[in-house]
Amino acid sequence: MEFSTTSKPIPASGISPESLHEEISQLPKEKGWRGLQGLFLYKNFWFYPAFLKGALHARDHFQAQPTDIFLCSSMKTGTTWLKSLSFTIATRGHRPSDDGSDMTTASLRTAVPHDCIPFLEFHEYSTAVRGSEIPLFASHLPYTCLPKSVIDSDCKIVYICRDPKDAFVSMWFFLRKFVAGKNSTDVESFASIDEGFELFCKGSSSHGPYWEHIVGYWEASIRRPEKILFLKYEDLVEDTQLWVKKLAEFFGCPFSAGEEREGVVKECSFESLRDLEVTKSGKDEKRGRVIESSAYFRKGVVGDWRNHLSDEMGKKIDVIMEEKLMGSGFTF
Ligand code: A3P
């Protein structure tokens, strides 16, 4: 992989939060999940204001380079894992030495994956905008909401999706933790799992409707297969080595014949990342809100929804997905 080009961080001087507030305030709004701020409808997707502000700012200011690579996903579908794998693949052979003298500025041992690869939507507010030269960015934005320059520059995109039942359960636990973190341990104000479920099924969830998020990237990946790599969390679990190989090829830094992939897989495994000191003690700060890094590592298994949703609920989401995805050619 070529390390000499990079997209520029969004200049802080260009930020105009007032005008963004104004634009957001004109959008259709609904209450959203109890205990959280309301959701705003932008280009047919629901957003919490913190995400939307960053999305609009990126729309207006982000200049993608053709060499950039975007890791895109809906919330709680394996973003952290994809970031860690991508970062490890892209920087192998270029890791910082103990005195930090090499060309990359972070390693997974000392920085959580979210600090190694910045989110487009949070870039301008991040206190730790990376100084490294690796052109990897992440985004939760739906395909149609990506900045025009990302599409126009024809840069590569990797999209990861996940069984909606597990994604919903993961999101509910994550947001509940987030709400609890804001106000001691009081989670009473947060939507019950049943309430959250009903809203998710209606499409009213962060970056929802969930199925539209998937369809946007799925159809784009069919139109531009050489530029958009589409993967599923479940496939990644089933054969991580295979996908590590595919990711490396897609990034343009394939593994050589004798080069082993097992190390990458192990380094980025759920247990390895969860047990790192930086995960246990780290905090992810976004727009003044603090999320403990450990919150990104809950269980990391396929099918955990069965422990939290009834069979009927599972069936209900499956039927909705089938209906909504019909005609797109995508199936879980
Ligand atoms: P669970 O809540 O089901 O455990 P995201 O990174 O998009 O926020 O997604 C978070 C989900 O990915 C969580 O799912 C989390 O446990 C899981 N996850 C995080 N790191 C992982 C890894 N290295 N391997 C497998 N799953 C991982």
Side-chain angles (χ1 to χ4, degrees):
M1 173 173 283
E2 179 54 63
F3 286 96
S4 61
T5 47
T6 181
S7 281
K8 302 284 175 289
I10 299 164
S13 58
I15 301 169
S16 170
E18 294 74 26
S19 66
L20 297 185
H21 276 307
E22 175 66 23
E23 181 174 352
I24 291 171
S25 70
Q26 310 291 324
L27 295 171
K29 184 183 177 193
E30 72 163 44
K31 272 197 302 196
W33 295 26
R34 197 157 50 80
L36 293 167
Q37 285 179 294
L39 288 163
F40 290 85
L41 190 67
Y42 174 70
K43 291 192 170 186
N44 298 323
F45 286 91
W46 292 105
F47 293 91
Y48 286 110
F51 283 106
L52 189 50
K53 211 159 77 170
L56 298 180
H57 188 268
R59 174 198 67 189
D60 296 342
H61 298 277
F62 186 77
Q63 270 307 315
Q65 312 277 329
T67 45
D68 289 344
I69 299 172
F70 280 81
L71 310 179
C72 299
S73 57
S74 222
M75 275 181 72
K76 314 316 292 174
T77 58
T79 319
T80 315
W81 192 14
L82 179 62
K83 279 187 177 188
S84 59
L85 287 169
S86 303
F87 181 81
T88 308
I89 291 167
T91 62
R92 70 193 199 278
H94 299 275
R95 301 301 178 79
S97 57
D98 285 345
D99 66 1
S101 61
D102 206 333
M103 61 201 307
T104 54
T105 56
S107 130
L108 289 180
R109 283 187 298 281
T110 54
V112 291
H114 294 295
D115 284 340
C116 296
I117 300 179
F119 272 112
L120 185 64
E121 299 90 308
F122 291 110
H123 207 167
E124 79 280 19
Y125 292 97
S126 170
T127 50
V129 171
R130 64 150 167 59
S132 81
E133 312 244 316
I134 306 156
L136 285 166
F137 292 89
S139 179
H140 282 321
L141 287 175
Y143 186 75
T144 48
C145 300
L146 287 171
K148 192 167 173 296
S149 77
V150 174
I151 309 297
D152 290 351
S153 65
D154 206 25
C155 49
K156 291 181 181 172
I157 296 174
V158 181
Y159 183 73
I160 186 163
C161 71
R162 186 181 192 187
D163 182 314
K165 303 184 283 302
D166 282 336
F168 163 72
V169 166
S170 184
M171 187 189 293
W172 187 79
F173 276 104
F174 181 82
L175 293 176
R176 191 173 71 143
K177 217 168 196 169
F178 177 71
V179 170
K182 274 202 303 188
N183 181 16
S184 68
T185 52
D186 180 13
V187 292
E188 295 300 311
S189 63
F190 185 54
S192 67
I193 198 159
D194 288 359
E195 286 172 308
F197 177 80
E198 289 306 324
L199 289 166
F200 185 86
C201 289
K202 276 190 1 196
S204 304
S205 58
S206 186
H207 304 87
Y210 184 75
W211 50 90
E212 294 291 351
H213 204 289
I214 293 172
V215 167
Y217 282 95
W218 173 251
E219 291 181 343
S221 76
I222 291 171
R223 287 195 302 274
R224 303 168 54 210
E226 71 295 345
K227 293 290 181 176
I228 304 182
L229 181 67
F230 192 100
L231 65 115
K232 297 179 190 169
Y233 179 91
E234 293 74 20
D235 291 345
L236 199 52
V237 169
E238 194 172 306
D239 196 343
T240 315
Q241 279 219 33
L242 173 74
W243 284 96
V244 162
K245 178 172 176 280
K246 287 191 185 192
L247 281 167
E249 285 164 1
F250 184 72
F251 293 161
C253 55
F255 285 81
S256 56
E259 201 182 358
E260 59 116 275
R261 289 170 270 148
E262 187 54 27
V264 175
V265 175
K266 272 200 189 132
E267 191 170 343
C268 300
S269 75
F270 178 84
E271 291 75 19
S272 301
L273 295 176
R274 180 198 58 192
D275 295 343
L276 287 171
E277 197 43 48
V278 68
T279 303
K280 289 192 227 162
S281 60
K283 293 193 192 317
D284 188 15
E285 289 198 40
K286 288 194 175 76
R287 314 238 163 113
R289 295 190 177 163
V290 177
I291 302 168
E292 287 176 6
S293 303
S294 57
Y296 291 100
F297 304 91
R298 194 181 63 94
K299 282 194 180 171
V301 295
V302 173
D304 180 52
W305 69 270
R306 292 188 179 283
N307 295 314
H308 306 285
L309 304 180
S310 65
D311 287 349
E312 293 74 52
M313 290 162 105
K315 183 95 191 130
K316 180 170 173 173
I317 296 198
D318 286 345
V319 169
I320 290 173
M321 290 294 149
E322 216 176 293
E323 264 175 37
K324 302 287 184 186
L325 296 170
M326 197 184 292
S328 71
F330 177 83
T331 50
F332 277 102

